[in-house]
Amino acid sequence: MADLPTSAEVVIVGGGLEGCSAAWQLASRGVDVLVLEKGTVASGMTGKSSGIVRCHYGVSSLAAMAADSLEVLEQGQEIFGVDIGFRQTGYVVGVGEPNVDPLRASLAAQQAVGVDTVEIGASEVAAMWPHADLEPFAAFGYEKRGGYGDAYQTAQAFAAAARAHGAVVRQGVEVAGLVTDGDRVTGVVTSDGSRVSAGTVVVATGVWSRPFLAPLGIDLPIRVHREEIVMVAPGLELGAVPVFSDLVSLQYVRPEVGGDILFGNSDLQQLSDADPDEYSNRPTEEILDIAVEKIGTRFPGLENASIAGGYAGCYDVTPDWNPVISRMPQEGLVVAAGFSGHGFKISPAVGRLIADLVVDGVSSDPRIPETDFRFSRFAEGDLLRSPFPYKGAGEMR
């Protein structure tokens, strides 16, 4: 490829949210960055994100990452000069009696790392979601600064900001593999045989990461899970409703620009394995039935609701449902993968942590130790789990 640089300080493989966020953060520090994307920016699973923005994590480092990222999303227009699609509707999470203590412990831990979250009563939730049946819930958490966003627009903004700082982004360039010299990664080779040398290669290839890294003998424990989203026409004007995460019936809903409701099933105890290159983009009859049942049960006030459409994407899921953001045993290699459906809301902080690892080798934020996200934790049996997991909804963390 005539216009492909032959070298860069850092080559990033993958032009999704995490790769573009890392490019922005690195380029803003004066690092020479080249992003290689086989399609177009955000053309992979980034564009399938449901876009929920919350800081509700029992894992404190994740809560801190989400809180830091929220500040970027809130200031998107000012930072990037464009609307990145963030809508600050608020975020409610409701739990049943068995999960009241985990909820309160999680809220306290979140507050300790700077998350603006509180416990609120059913009457306050009823005022925000008047169409909901709240009888089964025993407690609620609320983040007034939560909401939802547009992952595609956000990734495009990251890429534009990276370019403004000097990064080069090449689309339509498929990386076929990594180039090594002994135990060191020294660059990449593209599908047409072109080579680009690099001081560091960052692999941010999401659901494609496991097979991409396998030739180096790296067994990245990622399962590809097909996740379905259903769009619902509520049959009335909802007004300004918040995102609602229901940990009783295991669903989440959020308003959509235009008035529809986006529905996601939070029951993830059984994964649906998929090939990210060959999977149906249409919701199944089973998930449509589940959406009808769950929304009808939780929101009986939406008497005239109907299915408006839907789609599917894939999660790259690790054994503990937390990402790998790590320097690898091979010198010159950093991996950011396995985001398990949580990548959008933490993506600005992910880019910052990747930049820290590349430039300094350690995190610059003591609330977000790089050791939490190390690749070696799986072999060590030291998984990253919430100290206060939700019964029946552990993946929520």
Side-chain angles (χ1 to χ4, degrees), residues 54-57 59-60 62-68 70 106-118 142-143 145 367:
R54 63 171 168 97
C55 303
H56 192 98
Y57 286 100
V59 175
S60 289
L62 277 175
M65 292 180 88
D68 284 358
L70 175 60
S106 190
L107 293 178
Q110 291 157 33
Q111 292 163 359
V113 294
V115 176
D116 184 5
T117 187
V118 294
Y142 179 58
E143 298 173 40
R145 294 167 63 193
R367 301 170 306 151

Side-chain angles (χ1 to χ4, degrees), residues 20-225:
C20 289
S21 178
W24 166 45
Q25 291 288 339
L26 284 162
S28 68
R29 300 186 194 190
V31 177
D32 170 34
V33 179
L34 171 64
V35 179
L36 299 178
E37 164 55 44
K38 66 180 180 180
T40 57
V41 167
S43 62
M45 298 310 161
T46 287
K48 300 296 187 71
S49 172
S50 60
I52 304 299
V53 175
R54 63 171 168 97
C55 303
H56 192 98
Y57 286 100
V59 175
S60 289
S61 52
L62 277 175
M65 292 180 88
D68 284 358
S69 297
L70 175 60
E71 295 186 7
V72 174
L73 298 176
E74 287 177 323
Q75 300 173 55
Q77 184 77 46
E78 178 182 344
I79 294 172
F80 303 110
V82 295
D83 177 12
I84 62 172
F86 178 54
R87 302 293 180 262
Q88 200 156 45
T89 61
Y91 170 85
V92 173
V93 56
V95 302
E97 189 61 45
N99 284 321
V100 171
D101 288 343
L103 173 73
R104 289 173 176 162
S106 190
L107 293 178
Q110 291 157 33
Q111 292 163 359
V113 294
V115 176
D116 184 5
T117 187
V118 294
E119 183 176 350
I120 62 174
S123 62
E124 294 167 278
V125 179
M128 293 185 282
W129 259 110
H131 311 291
D133 173 17
L134 303 179
E135 184 63 30
F137 296 98
F140 300 90
Y142 179 58
E143 298 173 40
K144 66 180 179 182
R145 294 167 63 193
Y148 68 95
D150 188 307
Y152 180 86
Q153 289 179 250
T154 303
Q156 291 287 347
F158 289 161
R163 290 188 189 100
H165 286 287
V168 175
V169 180
R170 289 287 182 266
Q171 302 175 91
V173 179
E174 182 175 5
V175 176
L178 300 172
V179 178
T180 60
D181 181 3
D183 291 332
R184 179 177 180 83
V185 171
T186 59
V188 302
V189 59
T190 66
S191 57
D192 74 344
S194 300
R195 293 198 173 207
V196 181
S197 63
T200 301
V201 175
V202 176
V203 173
T205 48
V207 292
W208 295 277
S209 298
R210 187 171 196 168
F212 183 79
L213 292 167
L216 268 68
I218 297 172
D219 183 14
L220 192 63
I222 283 177
R223 289 179 65 181
V224 177
H225 163 69

Side-chain angles (χ1 to χ4, degrees), residues 226 228-230 280-288 309-312:
R226 181 174 175 274
E228 297 168 286
I229 298 296
V230 178
S280 172
N281 189 43
R282 296 172 60 86
T284 61
E285 289 298 324
E286 180 183 6
I287 194 65
L288 294 177
Y311 62 91

